[in-house]
Every structure is written in C-alpha cells, then in structure tokens.
Amino acid sequence: MKNTYKLALCLAILAFIAVFQIACKEDDLANNGEPSITYIRVTNPASSDSLLVGAFQNNLIAIVGENLQDVREIWFNDQKAVLTPTYVTSKSILVSVPAMVPKEINNIMKMIFANGRTLEHKFEVQINEPELLSMNCEYVPEGSVATINGNYFYPPLTVTFAGGVTGELVSVEDQIIQVRVPKGAVAGQLTVKTTFGETKSDFWFRDSRNIFLGNDPFVGWWNQAYVVTKPGAGDPVAINGNYIRVKEAISGWQWKEVAGGPPDAMGPISKNIPDAAILRPADYNLKFEVNTLKPYNNNLLKINVGLANDFLTDAYQWAPPYDTKGVWRTVTIPFEDVAASYESLGIRMSVSPNGYYTRLLFHGGGDLDADISLDNFRVVPKILKK
C-alpha cells in the first residue's frame, strides 16, 4: 500500500512538472504562440530592406513574422497561392503571388493554419498592364486576322491601330490576341487596353521604317527576274508592294545572289539604316517578312547589311530550318548578332554617309528545293521612347 502511494505521488509530481514546462514554453513563445506578420519584403538579399504593401502577379515575396510554421493555405484576394513546405519556417514564408487575375478584389492576404486559425493582412495584388512582344506577321491586310503575342491580355480589352481605329477581337488568351484588321489601319504602333492599363507596342504594324531592301521599285545588281510585281495564281499575296520570290533548286555551295548591290547601285534606299544602329547595334533589330511554299530546310541565306566598304561572303547567316507553310511571317534578328558575325571576321561596322552594301546570297551546304518569298528588309529600334 505504501509503495502504491509513493508511485501515485511520483506520477502526480511528474505530471505537474510536465504541465509546468509546457506552460513555460508557451509563455516563452513570441506572441504567446499566436501567428503574426511583422512585414513583407522582396526576396533579393541585396534589397532585403525593401518592404512591400503589394506586388505584381508571379512575384516571389517573403512574409516575415512569428509562429508561421503551421500555415496550410495562403490566399491573395480569391486566388490560392502554391505553398512549398521547404519555404515555410516559424519566422518566414517564401511564396509567389498567384498569376491568375482575381474575380473579387479585396486587397487582403489571408493565411489559414493547421488548427483552423486565420490571419489577415492588407496586401495589394498589382495586376500587370498588357505586355506586347511581337506579331506573327507585322504586315496584315485589311479584313484579315493579325496575331499579337505578349502577356497579361485580360478581357475585356481593345486593340487600337495607328489611325485610331479599333479591331474586331477574334479570340483572346492570356498570351495571344487574334484581331481582325479594320478599315483605316495605317502603319504605326498598336495599343492594347485592359481594365488594368494600356500599352503601346515597341514594334510597328506594317513597319515602313528604314527599309533598305524592298523592291519598290527594283534596284541593285542582281536578279530582277525574282521580283514579283503582279502576283498571279500560285504566288503568295503581296503584303507591301513588290517582293522577291526564289523558286528553283539551289545545290549545295552553289553561288546564288538573289538581291542587292553596292550603294551606288541601290540608290537612296542604301542610306536608310540609321547611324545609331551602326554605332549601337544592340538597340536595334533586323527584320523582314518571309513566306515559304516549300520548307527552307537546307543551304544558307547570307545577309549583307550595314557594310560600308565592300561585300562580305561569310556575313550573317540566316540558317534553316524555317517553314511558314504558305503564310507570311516576320523574322526578327538582333542586330548585334549581325555585327558580331562581322567582327568575328575582323570587320567592324562604321557609319557611311554614302550608304551601305546589301546582298542576299544563298551559299551553303545541302541542296535546297527553294520556294521562298522575302520582303521589307529593315533595321528598326527594339524599344521606342515612351
């Protein structure tokens, strides 16, 4: 009996000690164990003192506070964020703001914990205005459908062409707009407007700037026979006056010049490349339109542009494969890539008031059964001043 009493007394003491220790631990916890948010900041260590009251979609943020380890859900407005357990600790949580646009906006971030507790914090999801990156083809006739590529295309939206006319929307996705080109659309920037802002394109629709090879009219030394002036049955439609069509077999390493010439043969068009593009090629793009009725799948198209003193055989090489399947597409090449191809051969571009040498030369390995059309070779700015 005495031993039983001693055992009971020991158990009672141990239970008391355990309760006392638990109580002490809870007292030691910050905020008495209740979850709290001290601040939200960016995740870049170099900018760790940059505190946030809002962030754009997809931005990674750091939530800093106390007792956060048991979080199970985080909501921004009515959109649930994706939680990664390894990014959750008692002191901080790394989480990306959801990409989806909220249907109901209250600018509240809500955290839900394992025990059902919730914690709310004022935080604004800043919805991106439209981002316009490119068009499948920058030359599209009235009544046809143009495709605009970018981001944050959230309906309702409008597409306004230069000339102040609005296109008919055919379809809208987050990254693609298809719009019918309206009557009255002219060369210039596009504007896309959503509830969250509007953006003008850096590229131009029907870009008429700085064309150094367009065949309107034909100029140069080589192959006027390749210029299509009145498209007939089986020819691609014209998108901007005359264009070049090469429809023949070109054998490997055959020398086939299809367009171009020195400045005195090309005339005033040879001076259309801006001085700034020669001096700062990284600020510019080389663009042109292509239509392939047969795949461009062999050989090489060597392009001379911006050369002040002479032609260069192994100039910039636009390499296959490329196949538009019978429709016009805009090709964009960073102009610094062209400059680098020259510099690798010891030639550095320089400004020439007299104009520049131009050449399109098929010359490379592999036989090509060519049926390729080309138009509107131009050097244009990547970014337009707002």
Side-chain angles (χ1 to χ4, degrees):
M1 183 71 180
K2 188 174 182 181
N3 289 338
T4 302
Y5 173 76
K6 285 181 179 180
L7 178 60
L9 180 61
C10 288
L11 291 173
I13 292 170
L14 289 172
F16 174 77
I17 292 171
V19 170
F20 178 76
Q21 287 178 333
I22 291 171
C24 288
K25 286 181 180 179
E26 288 183 346
D27 289 340
D28 289 341
L29 289 175
N31 201 35
N32 294 323
E34 287 290 328
S36 64
I37 296 173
T38 307
Y39 57 84
I40 299 174
R41 63 170 175 80
V42 298
T43 55
N44 183 355
S47 306
S48 60
D49 58 346
S50 298
L51 305 187
L52 301 175
V53 295
F56 284 101
Q57 304 148 279
N58 280 326
N59 278 13
L60 184 66
I61 61 173
I63 303 168
V64 180
E66 302 287 350
N67 309 311
L68 303 176
Q69 68 277 1
D70 292 327
V71 69
R72 294 295 181 268
E73 296 178 12
I74 300 181
W75 293 76
F76 293 82
N77 297 304
D78 60 357
Q79 297 298 313
K80 186 179 179 181
V82 176
L83 282 176
T84 304
T86 52
Y87 292 164
V88 177
T89 71
S90 62
K91 297 286 188 180
S92 67
I93 300 169
L94 298 184
V95 64
S96 291
V97 178
M100 295 295 294
V101 174
K103 294 181 175 61
E104 297 181 9
I105 299 175
N106 56 19
N107 291 325
I108 295 294
M109 180 186 72
K110 183 170 71 172
M111 306 173 70
I112 302 175
F113 294 85
N115 60 5
R117 291 176 179 172
T118 62
L119 175 62
E120 294 187 349
H121 186 83
K122 190 171 180 60
F123 192 82
E124 180 184 3
V125 176
Q126 298 158 344
I127 310 300
N128 292 283
E129 62 186 31
E131 179 183 27
L132 279 62
L133 298 177
S134 66
M135 298 181 71
N136 284 4
C137 182
E138 292 179 0
Y139 280 81
V140 180
E142 175 187 322
S144 294
V145 175
T147 300
I148 304 168
N149 305 299
N151 285 299
Y152 316 118
F153 295 151
Y154 303 131
L157 62 75
T158 57
V159 178
T160 303
F161 291 75
V165 290
T166 301
E168 172 197 349
L169 296 176
V170 176
S171 68
V172 178
E173 300 176 23
D174 183 33
Q175 296 180 318
I176 299 174
I177 300 172
Q178 290 191 316
V179 58
R180 197 170 303 281
V181 177
K183 182 179 180 180
V186 297
Q189 294 169 273
L190 302 176
T191 301
V192 175
K193 183 177 182 180
T194 71
T195 304
F196 307 104
E198 69 176 38
T199 303
K200 277 192 171 184
S201 63
D202 286 311
F203 58 82
W204 271 33
F205 172 72
R206 295 180 189 164
D207 197 348
S208 56
R209 299 168 298 165
N210 310 335
I211 293 177
F212 64 88
L213 181 60
N215 291 291
D216 296 298
F218 168 82
V219 292
W221 275 358
W222 298 300
N223 292 314
Q224 184 173 3
Y226 288 141
V227 177
V228 177
T229 57
K230 295 180 179 179
D235 289 327
V237 297
I239 54 173
N240 186 31
N242 301 338
Y243 62 85
I244 298 165
R245 185 182 184 188
V246 181
K247 184 183 180 184
E248 62 185 78
I250 303 174
S251 59
W253 301 110
Q254 180 181 351
W255 187 274
K256 178 61 68 172
E257 291 159 322
V258 299
D264 58 0
M266 298 301 290
I269 199 172
S270 74
K271 303 177 183 180
N272 281 354
I273 300 170
D275 292 353
I278 301 297
L279 298 171
R280 298 185 299 278
D283 294 341
Y284 285 76
N285 284 321
L286 166 64
K287 290 188 175 185
F288 52 94
E289 273 65 51
V290 175
N291 186 320
T292 59
L293 293 179
K294 295 179 180 178
Y296 170 44
N297 55 13
N298 259 326
N299 222 288
L300 287 171
L301 179 61
K302 298 179 177 180
I303 303 174
N304 278 198
V305 49
L307 291 169
N309 298 315
D310 201 352
F311 299 106
L312 190 59
T313 297
D314 291 317
Y316 181 81
Q317 300 175 0
W318 186 55
Y322 198 84
D323 186 12
T324 74
K325 302 185 185 303
V327 297
W328 287 97
R329 289 284 183 264
T330 297
V331 173
T332 300
I333 299 167
F335 200 45
E336 66 265 31
D337 291 357
V338 178
S341 75
Y342 301 157
E343 290 180 11
S344 69
L345 300 171
I347 304 297
R348 187 177 181 86
M349 289 193 301
S350 59
V351 172
S352 173
N354 297 321
Y356 300 93
Y357 287 75
T358 301
R359 183 169 64 188
L360 303 182
L361 168 66
F362 281 101
H363 182 239
D367 297 340
L368 174 63
D369 184 13
D371 193 346
I372 183 170
S373 298
L374 305 153
D375 203 3
N376 307 316
F377 285 80
R378 58 197 183 274
V379 177
V380 293
K382 292 179 181 178
I383 305 295
L384 297 180
K385 293 180 179 179
K386 304 301 182 184

